[in-house]
Amino acid sequence: EIQLVASGGGLVKPGESLRLSCVASGFTVTNAWENWVRQAPGKGLEWVGRIKSKTDGGAIDYAAPVKGRFTISRDESKNTLYLQMNSLKVEDTAVYYCSNGWGWFGPWGQGTLVTVSP
Amino acid sequence: DIVMTQSPDSLAVSLGERATISCKSSQSVLYASNNKNFLAWYQQRPGQPPKLLMYWTSTRESGVPDRFSGSGSGTDFTLTISSLQAEDVAIYYCQQYYSTPPTFGPGTKVEIK
């Protein structure tokens, strides 16, 4: 069974950094397209970025609002996906989900809450 | 970016009745080379992560009840719940994966009347 468990969220101030982790089981992270999707409190879903599978070249794409501030990576030895978030802004406050998929997304992890507040 | 819109914002349906949700994309998500629409649907119950319901417009994910069906092509799509059950209370999102960035509709909240 495929499972994704995200962690690392917390309360930070604007301008600070945070690294989220997503531990995968039931598959190898390098064999899948892995995505981060966020959801601000009471709002809809927003794609943050993705890393393609190794066989598809491993390229990384980001949404415009986070490009240059967020970095997606993965560690095959730990079967874990990461989201390094720098220069955080109040508007980055959201639950961050990791999810598999090159087009549609599934399954999804439970998510981890990131709160950016002065 | 492709902009996704949904209507209505919310709807209340009696148990056992039909619920219909509309989703529109700002440009066609039909890929001519394979004649497939790059459109997915998700269900998000309160306090839960989203759950994939459907992809390629109308292909149900494993385990999704057959009371859920998807239809449409090009820029206009519909998710239908043929007989609403209590466990279907949720927000439903459409999503296009025709182009990067993948984008979601704003969601439609389904409640029991």
Side-chain angles (χ1 to χ4, degrees):
Chain A
E1 181 191 4
I2 291 176
Q3 284 196 324
L4 298 160
V5 179
S7 62
L11 173 62
V12 296
K13 292 181 171 19
E16 293 184 343
S17 298
L18 206 57
R19 188 178 80 157
L20 306 184
S21 300
C22 175
V23 178
S25 58
F27 71 101
T28 303
V29 291
T30 50
N31 292 342
W33 290 43
E34 297 291 328
N35 302 267
W36 288 98
V37 178
R38 67 185 180 183
Q39 186 170 36
K43 302 296 184 183
L45 301 167
E46 180 186 23
W47 178 80
V48 172
R50 70 172 167 223
I51 182 167
K52 296 180 182 178
S53 65
K54 221 177 192 178
T55 53
D56 287 326
I60 303 173
D61 298 304
Y62 298 97
V66 308
K67 198 168 186 178
R69 299 188 298 122
F70 289 12
T71 302
I72 294 173
S73 63
R74 60 191 168 203
D75 184 332
E76 186 173 4
S77 66
K78 296 180 179 178
N79 214 32
T80 299
L81 175 74
Y82 298 102
L83 180 65
Q84 177 67 45
M85 304 185 293
N86 298 332
S87 304
L88 281 160
K89 304 176 181 181
V90 170
E91 53 265 38
D92 294 320
T93 294
V95 173
Y96 284 74
Y97 297 102
C98 50
S99 182
N100 285 3
W102 68 267
W104 58 87
F105 306 133
W108 298 61
Q110 279 298 321
T112 186
L113 175 62
V114 173
T115 304
V116 186
S117 179
Chain B
D1 297 1
I2 296 178
V3 176
M4 308 298 291
T5 57
Q6 290 181 232
S7 61
D9 294 335
S10 64
L11 74 162
V13 176
S14 300
L15 288 172
E17 295 300 304
R18 179 185 301 261
T20 303
I21 299 168
S22 173
C23 169
K24 295 182 188 294
S25 55
S26 60
Q27 63 188 75
S28 177
V29 298
L30 173 62
Y31 193 45
S33 67
N34 63 5
N35 200 36
K36 286 182 178 287
N37 288 281
F38 285 46
L39 192 284
W41 288 97
Y42 301 85
Q43 175 194 64
Q44 187 174 30
R45 294 179 173 133
Q48 295 295 313
K51 172 189 168 185
L52 176 66
L53 287 179
M54 219 155 305
Y55 51 94
W56 296 132
T57 302
S58 60
T59 301
R60 275 188 298 273
E61 174 73 331
S62 176
V64 173
D66 61 6
R67 63 179 180 272
F68 290 90
S69 63
S71 63
S73 185
T75 60
D76 293 278
F77 301 90
T78 300
L79 176 70
T80 301
I81 309 172
S82 61
S83 175
L84 192 76
Q85 304 300 304
E87 61 265 32
D88 301 334
V89 168
I91 299 175
Y92 293 84
Y93 296 92
C94 60
Q95 176 236 332
Q96 67 79 20
Y97 47 97
Y98 181 88
S99 65
T100 301
T103 48
F104 295 88
T108 293
K109 188 174 186 178
V110 174
E111 300 171 306
I112 305 294
K113 185 187 290 183

